[in-house]
Amino acid sequence: MQQNQRKTTPHLSRRTLIKAGIGAYAALSFGRPARAQSPTRLNFAFWGQQPEQEGFNRLIEKYQAKNPNVAIKAEIVPPGPQYYQLLDTRLAGGQGPDLFRVQYQRIGKYAQNRAAVDLSRYLDKDFGAGFGSTFWAAASFEGKVFALPHHTDTFGLYYNIDHFEKAGLEAPKSLDKSWSWDEFIKAARRLKEKQTAPYPFAMHWVLSNAYRWLPFLYQHGGAMLDADFKSPMINSKTGIETIAWTQSWFKEGLVPANTSIKGTEATQNLFANGTISMLLNGNWQIPFLNEQMTRFRWGVTYMPRDVAMASDLGGNCVAVSKDSKNPEVAADFLKFIASEENMREFIIAGQFLPVRKSLMQETIAFKVRPELMPVFVQQATTIPEHMARTEVLPKWSEINVKLNDELDLAFTSGQSPEATAKNLETAVKQILAA
Amino acid sequence: MRAATGWRHRVRRLPVAPYLFIAPNLLLFSTFTFLPLLFAVYISFNEWGLLGQPHFIAAGNYARIVEDRLFWRALGNTVVYSLGTVPTSLALGLALALALDRPLPGRSLIRSTFFLPVVISGVATAVIAAWLFNDNYGVINAVLQRIGLPKVNWLSSPSWALPSLVITTLWVRLGFCMVVYLAALQSIPSDYYHAAAIDGASRWAQFRYIVWPLLSPATFLLLILNVIYSFQVFDLIYVMTGGGPGFATTMLVQYIYQSAFITSEMGYASAIGVVLYLLILGFTVLQWRISRQAQNAL
């Protein structure tokens, strides 16, 4: 009997015990949220206006209250090129922050170079299902996710109500009644004729944000790249016509000359002080205008449209850097800030739009001019998926530089739309082939 | 045995103190200037996007420079900008120094006013200048309109953007040139003027044959420094025009910055940096020789 028992009892070797131990640890680790057991310090680099900074700081405080062992240091950096210059230099030196905020248009570069950590191992398989597909795709590269979408924003048409009344204009009241290109230009000419302001309008693509020109291309039925994102499509009838249309704004004096792509003019100031009667800009300007535009009444309507509707893909995601010594805790913080409750709190603070499906259906109680936000919420539904996927390609940064150069030449230096489209086609071909 | 004693003797006689004095500066210079310079030369032979690993491509970046139209455009703009700023800032600085080298009421205040832009940071100066030249609400356009002249698109027109930058640069550099020339003027012994006056030399003859030759070391110094400043201009462009409109104000350093941090081509940016270094070095050596020949001829 004893002999039989000995035979049937499984022999536990040291190796089996170790394997079992690792398996049990893994099962426990993956089955529970990553909580730092020992004191952990994280650095979180981001930029932002005051409301955004306060929004992030509040989320950090909440997370630290729940996780007393974790200390998160906010590193607030000036926005724009300086932010990415600093980030890239730190990453090159192996001193990157644990977490960094990044535009959807730029995450591809960090993913391709593995400067951001693949988050897939920290997320449930269906985690992405809760996010809008455009934003989840923007944060993904080669089937893996390298950042969590955090919020979005888009463009609308701000208008000066006093100037509109003087010119006898009425802004469209619904998305399906949004102005066509012709109606928009007619309104601009009427404002010019009535001399309501020195210029009828301006578009906020200054400081080399040429990608914001793309919605006009898509509105006209065009695209920057083909369906497979392999070849340029810009040197086409739609591309040339869109360049010509936007160039005509400058030729006709409908927009201030210094609001071209390489301009440094703050277009929101021009709108606030009455230099322009209409402004194509993003929803994040609402708090600024609410505070600064005291001499005029103002409202927001929808972007103009042509054969299609389209608007800008704005907003940011947050990534964990390759240099993080605690990627698991950093990923846990990411999941925390991207949760439904915290995303709602942040977008209310910063006047942004949500990227979680559940919140997209919800009527968010924004604090400043809440009656205007539904315009942007509806406009966000017109962001073309193909455009979004184009803008998040790893090589988009390089394409954007060429778009800056060529469009600025067309708008300020008289370069023909045909030459502009041809130069862009050549440049994009070279970039994609490299 | 004798040789060993000689070696020890030589070591004992080595002047250690001077090396100790220059050591901190040498260490900092090597760490923050010399070694990065060498690293830039190394990187210029590589393709490197900052985030990945450098990839050796031999002289590929230098070959690209030769064919890059934008590089030549940036170099051309830099040369035009230098021609617009260097002789004028020297001439105006000298004129101002001559004017302020005589007793005048409020002379110190006037000198300080002209020198003020030199001590303000370049970015702050550029921000002020951008406001002054603003197309829509700038002071200069407001004055033009007040006297019945049309507005000028100072920073957004390809024809006016570069002149606007030249004017701003003159505003900044004038005070510096003035101070250097003032110091040089005050070092000329007054006996020379008295002797020349006794000989019946006119004011112009005194300037032509006494002042101008004796100012040549200061002129040489200012010429070299101003050419270097002009070739390295960045902050003014970055703040005021961003290199636009089009490429009207894209200078070499602006192009280096764009290649390094906007398109992430660190190798190409380093190659342009090396070319810029060689250009400035070549010009300085050339000027040095010309200056020495001129001094020998005196």
Side-chain angles (χ1 to χ4, degrees):
Chain A
M1 183 72 182
Q2 269 185 347
Q3 207 174 17
N4 284 347
Q5 265 184 342
R6 199 176 293 153
K7 273 182 184 171
T8 52
T9 306
H11 176 70
L12 289 174
S13 68
R14 218 174 346 182
R15 184 177 293 177
T16 314
L17 272 172
I18 291 167
K19 278 182 185 170
I22 292 171
Y25 174 77
L28 286 169
S29 303
F30 285 102
R32 63 170 188 198
R35 291 275 161 82
Q37 299 302 313
S38 55
T40 305
R41 292 183 68 85
L42 298 176
N43 297 324
F44 179 17
F46 59 86
W47 73 91
Q49 293 178 346
Q50 196 62 28
E52 294 164 72
Q53 290 180 23
E54 284 166 9
F56 274 127
N57 286 335
R58 172 82 192 113
L59 294 182
I60 290 170
E61 280 167 22
K62 273 176 75 175
Y63 186 80
Q64 288 179 155
K66 280 189 177 176
N67 300 272
N69 279 332
V70 182
I72 301 174
K73 187 184 169 202
E75 295 181 347
I76 302 164
V77 182
Q82 292 110 313
Y83 175 81
Y84 292 103
Q85 180 186 332
L86 192 72
L87 179 63
D88 289 4
T89 314
R90 287 180 66 179
L91 287 166
Q95 301 284 322
D98 295 275
L99 296 134
F100 59 95
R101 190 188 197 192
V102 58
Q103 287 169 293
Y104 294 116
Q105 285 83 356
R106 298 201 187 233
I107 183 62
K109 185 179 93 170
Y110 296 97
Q112 189 184 34
N113 288 291
R114 296 297 185 266
V117 165
D118 172 15
L119 298 171
S120 310
R121 79 190 83 159
Y122 305 114
L123 306 173
D124 294 333
K125 266 191 175 175
D126 59 345
F127 190 83
F131 293 82
S133 60
T134 305
F135 307 107
W136 191 253
S140 305
F141 178 69
E142 292 177 346
K144 292 171 180 168
V145 61
F146 288 87
L148 288 192
H150 193 229
H151 56 268
T152 185
D153 54 64
T154 196
F155 269 42
L157 177 64
Y158 290 85
Y159 62 96
N160 185 315
I161 296 173
D162 298 322
H163 288 180
F164 265 43
E165 283 178 0
K166 194 177 166 190
L169 289 170
E170 201 174 329
K173 295 273 189 296
S174 62
L175 187 61
D176 59 329
K177 296 272 171 28
S178 56
W179 277 335
S180 67
W181 279 12
D182 286 344
E183 287 169 326
F184 173 65
I185 291 298
K186 271 183 195 162
R189 286 179 184 149
R190 185 156 181 80
L191 288 163
K192 193 177 180 182
E193 196 182 291
K194 294 285 176 187
Q195 295 185 329
T196 55
Y199 296 94
F201 73 99
M203 166 71 194
H204 188 69
W205 47 30
V206 292
L207 299 170
S208 299
N209 284 306
Y211 68 87
R212 288 176 180 154
W213 176 83
L214 289 194
F216 300 112
L217 179 64
Y218 280 79
Q219 285 170 9
H220 198 50
M224 191 72 189
L225 302 175
D226 65 359
D228 300 327
F229 309 99
K230 295 265 197 284
S231 343
M233 293 271 287
I234 186 71
N235 193 12
S236 58
K237 189 169 175 285
T238 50
I240 293 167
E241 283 176 357
T242 309
I243 296 168
W245 186 62
T246 42
Q247 187 188 47
S248 73
W249 303 354
F250 291 87
K251 279 187 171 173
E252 218 179 306
L254 298 177
V255 294
N258 63 347
T259 58
S260 178
I261 310 275
K262 287 186 183 171
T264 52
E265 185 70 272
T267 55
Q268 65 273 23
N269 289 348
L270 297 181
F271 185 65
N273 65 25
T275 305
I276 52 175
S277 300
M278 297 187 286
L279 171 65
L280 293 153
N281 208 325
N283 43 275
W284 69 92
Q285 296 294 355
I286 290 177
F288 170 82
L289 292 173
N290 191 53
E291 206 173 287
Q292 300 294 328
M293 195 159 170
T294 50
R295 285 166 47 216
F296 305 98
R297 291 172 298 147
W298 57 278
V300 177
T301 185
Y302 304 88
M303 289 282 284
R305 56 176 292 180
D306 193 44
V307 296
M309 291 188 213
S311 192
D312 177 55
L313 169 73
N316 307 286
C317 42
V318 183
V320 175
S321 95
K322 66 171 176 60
D323 297 328
S324 177
K325 290 183 177 63
N326 300 288
E328 197 175 347
V329 183
D332 189 56
F333 175 69
L334 274 196
K335 284 194 278 184
F336 176 80
I337 65 170
S339 70
E340 190 177 300
E341 181 196 337
N342 292 324
M343 187 177 287
R344 184 191 294 111
E345 190 178 319
F346 182 83
I347 61 171
I348 289 173
Q351 207 89 6
F352 285 108
L353 301 174
V355 287
R356 272 195 173 274
K357 285 177 185 167
S358 54
L359 293 175
M360 289 174 185
Q361 312 301 324
E362 192 179 307
T363 307
I364 307 280
F366 289 100
K367 283 180 189 162
V368 185
R369 300 289 302 265
E371 79 282 6
L372 300 178
M373 286 304 284
V375 173
F376 292 101
V377 173
Q378 287 176 60
Q379 191 73 68
T381 61
T382 69
I383 299 171
E385 183 137 354
H386 185 269
M387 185 188 84
R389 287 179 184 271
T390 303
E391 290 183 10
V392 300
L393 289 173
K395 291 191 172 177
W396 177 254
S397 304
E398 289 174 61
I399 296 175
N400 193 54
V401 172
K402 297 296 173 192
L403 201 58
N404 287 333
D405 291 344
E406 296 301 329
L407 288 179
D408 200 62
L409 282 171
F411 298 163
T412 65
S413 309
Q415 179 170 271
S416 73
E418 291 77 12
T420 305
K422 195 168 185 316
N423 292 348
L424 273 171
E425 182 184 46
T426 311
V428 173
K429 264 185 191 168
Q430 281 173 356
I431 291 168
L432 292 175
Chain B
M1 183 70 185
R2 207 173 157 185
T5 313
W7 178 80
R8 280 201 197 108
H9 183 67
R10 276 201 299 277
V11 167
R12 264 203 304 274
R13 283 175 63 91
L14 259 181
V16 178
Y19 289 102
L20 282 176
F21 279 119
I22 63 167
N25 186 32
L26 196 65
L27 191 71
L28 290 172
F29 177 79
S30 302
T31 309
F32 294 108
T33 305
F34 189 64
L35 292 178
L37 197 73
L38 289 181
F39 186 64
V41 175
Y42 162 71
I43 286 299
S44 73
F45 293 102
N46 288 270
E47 199 173 61
W48 188 36
L50 206 61
L51 294 180
Q53 291 299 314
H55 168 62
F56 184 72
I57 55 164
N61 286 322
Y62 292 94
R64 184 179 154 192
I65 286 177
V66 178
E67 293 172 357
D68 183 0
R69 282 186 306 142
L70 194 48
F71 167 81
W72 293 107
R73 176 80 195 263
L75 180 61
N77 284 342
T78 310
V79 171
V80 172
Y81 171 78
S82 302
L83 290 173
T85 52
V86 177
T88 36
S89 56
L90 259 68
L92 293 173
L94 177 59
L96 204 59
L98 288 168
L100 294 175
D101 192 33
R102 60 190 66 186
L104 280 173
R107 188 174 67 169
S108 300
L109 184 69
I110 300 170
R111 284 178 183 175
S112 307
T113 308
F114 277 107
F115 193 70
L116 201 60
V118 181
V119 292
I120 299 173
S121 94
V123 171
T125 313
V127 170
I128 295 167
W131 274 81
L132 291 172
F133 282 110
N134 188 286
D135 295 0
N136 305 308
Y137 43 79
V139 176
I140 297 172
N141 270 347
V143 172
L144 287 179
Q145 285 187 302
R146 185 61 67 88
I147 58 174
L149 292 171
K151 281 201 311 186
V152 175
N153 289 334
W154 293 103
L155 300 177
S156 53
S157 137
S159 355
W160 280 106
L162 196 54
S164 307
L165 291 172
V166 170
I167 294 168
T168 309
T169 308
L170 290 178
W171 173 45
V172 177
R173 291 217 197 131
L174 202 59
F176 177 68
C177 294
M178 177 198 74
V179 163
V180 174
Y181 271 132
L182 266 176
L185 282 171
Q186 284 164 13
S187 69
I188 299 173
S190 55
D191 300 356
Y192 292 8
Y193 298 110
H194 294 150
I198 289 166
D199 290 343
S202 65
R203 301 277 296 179
W204 168 248
Q206 286 182 27
F207 175 78
R208 171 71 184 81
Y209 296 105
I210 298 172
V211 177
W212 181 244
L214 290 174
L215 286 181
S216 63
T219 306
F220 172 68
L221 173 78
L222 285 174
L223 186 66
I224 295 292
L225 288 178
N226 275 293
V227 168
I228 292 172
Y229 292 155
S230 291
F231 266 72
Q232 293 185 339
V233 64
F234 176 72
D235 44 9
L236 217 59
I237 315 287
Y238 185 79
V239 175
M240 288 179 72
T241 63
F247 297 116
T249 62
T250 301
M251 308 284 168
L252 275 182
V253 178
Q254 168 83 16
Y255 191 42
I256 290 172
Y257 170 79
Q258 184 172 307
S259 302
F261 295 107
I262 308 294
T263 53
S264 300
E265 296 172 294
M266 207 44 92
Y268 189 56
S270 299
I272 303 173
V274 171
V275 171
L276 175 64
Y277 170 78
L278 293 175
L279 280 172
I280 294 175
L281 184 71
F283 179 81
T284 309
V285 170
L286 185 72
Q287 270 304 113
W288 195 272
R289 286 194 176 167
I290 291 171
S291 170
R292 273 177 61 184
Q293 278 173 5
Q295 279 181 344
N296 291 339
L298 277 175

